[in-house]
Amino acid sequence: MPDRGRKGRAADIRNAALELFVRRGYEATTMADIGAAVGIRGASLYKHVASKQELLATITTNTMEQLLERHRLAVADAGTPVERLRRAVDAHARYHARHRREAFVGNRELRSLVEPYRVVVLGRRAEYANCFEDLIADGISTGDFRVGSARLAAYAILDLGMGVAVWFREDSGPTENEVAWQHTEFALRMVGASDF
């Protein structure tokens, strides 16, 4: 099954690139470094991936698509704005705890993306932020939330969760469950939730 082997090799290349982007940064990582990490030399690497930029774009785009999908699933059957925000923040914090490398690279290396990749990723980031802003605006309109700006509250909540990718460790400190629970409490307090 050559196709299955090719997909496996592509995943190995992506994972090696991700690890190198985390440790060295995008600019300091070369295609030769990525090839060496997976045991592929020279032009053979280009049979699997077009460029380093494509690798970065794949990582950042996939990260945003996963965040959007998890958000949709989290709020799909939640009734009240309070419950929707609780579930959205839980999903956001857990994603950043479980996918620290992807989130870290997605935030730090956004500056390294070029067109047409940059506009795609920025569009998905805006869509994700709008999900939170709309949810908070709904809560304001129903009287469940008391906050002056849905947009600023959304940005604050998103930043709080993104920080998890920087400091969270599975083997020390608070557990993922503790982080997710506390983040939902912080978020509900930020928006002035009346009953939670």
Side-chain angles (χ1 to χ4, degrees):
M1 296 194 179
D3 189 55
R4 184 180 173 111
R6 193 171 307 211
K7 286 180 183 177
R9 181 60 83 173
D12 291 344
I13 292 167
R14 180 199 164 278
N15 287 332
L18 178 60
E19 183 60 34
L20 288 165
F21 295 164
V22 168
R23 284 193 289 126
R24 297 182 182 177
Y26 175 81
E27 292 299 331
T29 300
T30 66
M31 286 294 277
D33 295 332
I34 296 166
V38 293
I40 298 176
R41 296 179 51 153
S44 297
L45 185 60
Y46 291 96
K47 292 178 183 175
H48 303 282
V49 64
S51 67
K52 184 173 76 161
Q53 183 66 205
E54 181 184 86
L55 284 166
L56 179 61
T58 299
I59 291 165
T60 54
T61 303
N62 286 348
T63 297
M64 291 314 307
E65 288 173 355
Q66 289 173 16
L67 281 165
L68 282 161
E69 179 61 21
R70 282 169 172 76
H71 177 86
R72 289 183 195 109
L73 290 172
V75 302
D77 61 351
T80 67
V82 169
E83 187 58 28
R84 287 198 313 273
L85 185 60
R86 183 183 297 281
R87 290 183 186 188
V89 172
D90 182 88
H92 183 67
R94 287 182 190 279
Y95 181 87
H96 285 82
R98 293 175 187 171
H99 302 278
R100 291 190 326 269
R101 297 179 313 156
E102 292 86 347
F104 181 75
V105 168
N107 287 318
R108 185 181 72 183
E109 298 297 348
L110 183 62
R111 66 181 185 255
S112 299
L113 279 173
V114 299
E115 299 303 348
Y117 305 119
R118 184 176 173 80
V119 71
V120 170
V121 172
L122 287 175
R124 286 191 174 87
R125 285 172 66 100
E127 181 182 352
Y128 188 60
N130 287 340
C131 289
F132 280 83
E133 185 178 345
D134 292 347
L135 197 161
I136 294 166
D138 286 347
I140 293 169
S141 71
T142 61
D144 289 301
F145 302 153
R146 291 173 188 83
V147 64
S149 170
R151 175 169 287 176
L152 291 178
Y155 289 164
I157 290 166
L158 291 170
D159 277 350
L160 182 68
M162 288 186 294
V164 172
V166 176
W167 58 261
F168 180 78
R169 297 294 175 266
E170 293 91 353
D171 57 352
S172 65
T175 66
E176 178 185 316
N177 285 339
E178 290 169 331
V179 170
W181 180 83
Q182 191 66 68
H183 275 232
T184 61
E185 297 297 300
F186 290 152
L188 290 167
R189 283 185 170 84
M190 271 189 229
V191 298
S194 56
D195 181 26
F196 65 95

